[in-house]
Amino acid sequence: MKITGAQAIIRCLVEQNVDTVFGYPGGAILPLYDALYDAPIRHILPVHEQGAAHMADGYARATGKVGVCIATSGPGATNLVTGLATAFMDSVPVVAITGQVSTSLIGRDAFQEVDITGITMPVTKHNFLVKDSKKLPEIIRQAFRIAKFGRPGPVLIDIPRDVQTAEVEYCQQILPTEPEWSPMPAVRKMIEEATEVISKAKRPVIHIGGGVIAAEVHQEVQYLAEKCSIPVVSSLMGLGGIANKHPCFLGLTGMHGHKIANATVHNADLIIAIGSRFSDRVTGDRVRYAADKKFIHIDVDPAEIDKNVAVHIGLTGHLKQIITMINSTIEKGDTAEWWAVIRQWQTDYATEQKGKQPLLAEWAMQHICEKTDGLPVSFVTDVGQHQMWAAQNLVIKAPRSWITSGGLGTMGFGLPAAIGAQLACPDKRVIHFAGDGGFKMTGAELFTVATHELPIISIIIDNSCLGMVKQLQKVYFPNRYSHSVIPEMDFVTFAKAFGIEGAVVNTKKAFTKAFNKAYSDNKPYLIVIKIDQDDVVTPMVAPGATLDEYVSLNGS
């Protein structure tokens, strides 16, 4: 069957079970938009192309499917870059389709021409410039395979305008399944060694990262923890990989991790890392982090093994199969004494916290979890202090119900990602947290929220400053808060411009009233929580220190 390149793109998207795309039209991508006019695909128009990339990202994180965003050439394409980098750092499957000037104009500085494949090479898993229209359908299919299989990541396809209008031969293909993985004899032997090391360890801990969510291996990890009675800690990206209230789960580890989780990692004799890359925010001083302990690192990406921390056993491949093989043969070790130590720490840290009143932001997050207990909700955050308070205080019960920018730390990510997540899972209520600084970056996407009547509850933690920047300045440059204190903004009036109701609160009673209204009305709502500029995220591990060396902030 002969059809236009643009029509072939649509047919390939339908092949891939794509039901929603996020994009912004422009001259070089108009043939594709003409094909979209009659397509059985929902199109969401953002306020800005960056919003489209983050929406596709949020959609992908919420579902595990490939998120799709579309932009025109030049500034449209470059506006996607931050979103692609965000997805790349957190291993999120996204396919970005960009228009390009006609092939005869490439390299001639034509209007809105930019080398987007060159620009995005460092922040995509792969990218394509399609110059031969005959190859277009297979390139589209290949892009989806690359984005989803193995370690997920973003892929960009740059398609010149004349390729979109050219005639191409199209034949429908069946959606491919993930290639089978069969461990080599050497890998099987390492798995046997790993089971033996785990069984003999006296102070083991399982450290889960975002790979546990991506590989959908949370049940196998929980079984391993339960069978061998091993404590579990999580990176920021791994939250939801095991329910917060599970008896084996000790919490977030790293710079702003829970003290019990950090103490367990610091004193462990074996760390079993699953789908985690040992980032600097997790380890602090890597040399001292790794001292006096062994590491078993399980990851889909061979490049991660030994990259940040030298490991004793590195297992790469299909995480579900590897952990299933470990579970099938492993014998429980003796961790009773280890748990006795951990229980004592839990008592000690609980005593340390006794009498301390939680900050209003922390309390609000705890209150939300109480009010929504048993209800289908997803939490999406922007980046900053509120993000860390959320990671410490929210009860994350299931995978894909916690969405945040971890690796790149992208301010402005939260609201558009919440839109993507809400569209992906309309049966869940999305609760979005942001700081006043990050919200200003992409807050105009409230227009998209209002246009589609999405019942997102946006909660802004407003201290009229760039809170995390100011906190870091307090550590590094005491009393020199250079450009981190910002003028106040009337967010409620801003939201009303889009037809969205809101409220400003500074007490627990006022927040309870506002949240109850927001949840019961089942429509977009914005709550601004006013907090003090001196409120800080604690605990905080000293930069470049070990996980038991904390910065003293406000007497903490």
Side-chain angles (χ1 to χ4, degrees), residues 147-166:
K148 187 167 179 62
F149 297 145
R151 180 176 183 168
V155 178
L156 181 135
I157 315 166
D158 196 31
I159 309 175
R161 198 179 195 282
D162 57 322
V163 173
Q164 297 172 51
T165 57

Side-chain angles (χ1 to χ4, degrees), residues 188-267:
R188 290 181 180 274
K189 182 173 177 57
M190 283 195 291
I191 290 173
E192 292 175 5
E193 292 174 0
T195 59
E196 185 176 353
V197 171
I198 294 170
S199 296
K200 289 182 178 179
K202 297 299 182 185
R203 302 186 305 280
V205 60
I206 296 172
H207 171 86
I208 60 174
V212 168
I213 311 296
E216 298 181 348
V217 74
H218 48 282
Q219 292 180 339
E220 288 77 10
V221 171
Q222 181 172 314
Y223 180 84
L224 175 61
E226 292 172 345
K227 182 177 182 178
C228 297
S229 190
I230 300 175
V232 181
V233 301
S234 176
S235 72
L236 184 68
M237 299 306 303
L239 292 173
I242 186 169
N244 280 40
K245 292 188 175 181
H246 191 283
C248 287
F249 187 68
L250 301 181
L252 180 72
T253 184
M255 175 177 279
H256 294 294
H258 296 97
K259 284 190 174 182
I260 180 64
N262 283 350
T264 302
V265 170
H266 183 65
N267 291 279

Side-chain angles (χ1 to χ4, degrees), residues 431-445:
I431 302 174
H432 155 235
F433 297 93
D436 50 312
F439 186 84
K440 289 171 184 172
M441 291 186 172
T442 54
E445 294 297 349

Side-chain angles (χ1 to χ4, degrees), residues 31 50-51 57 86 97 119 164 184 244 287 362 463 488 530:
Q50 182 179 343
D57 184 322
T86 302
I97 299 172
I119 289 170
Q164 297 172 51
M184 301 290 287
N244 280 40
V287 174
E362 296 174 304
N463 54 7
E488 291 190 13
K530 290 286 191 178

Side-chain angles (χ1 to χ4, degrees), residues 170-198:
Y170 170 80
C171 294
Q172 184 175 359
Q173 289 191 6
I174 298 173
L175 187 68
T177 56
E178 186 172 3
E180 289 189 10
W181 179 79
S182 180
M184 301 290 287
V187 176
R188 290 181 180 274
K189 182 173 177 57
M190 283 195 291
I191 290 173
E192 292 175 5
E193 292 174 0
T195 59
E196 185 176 353
V197 171
I198 294 170

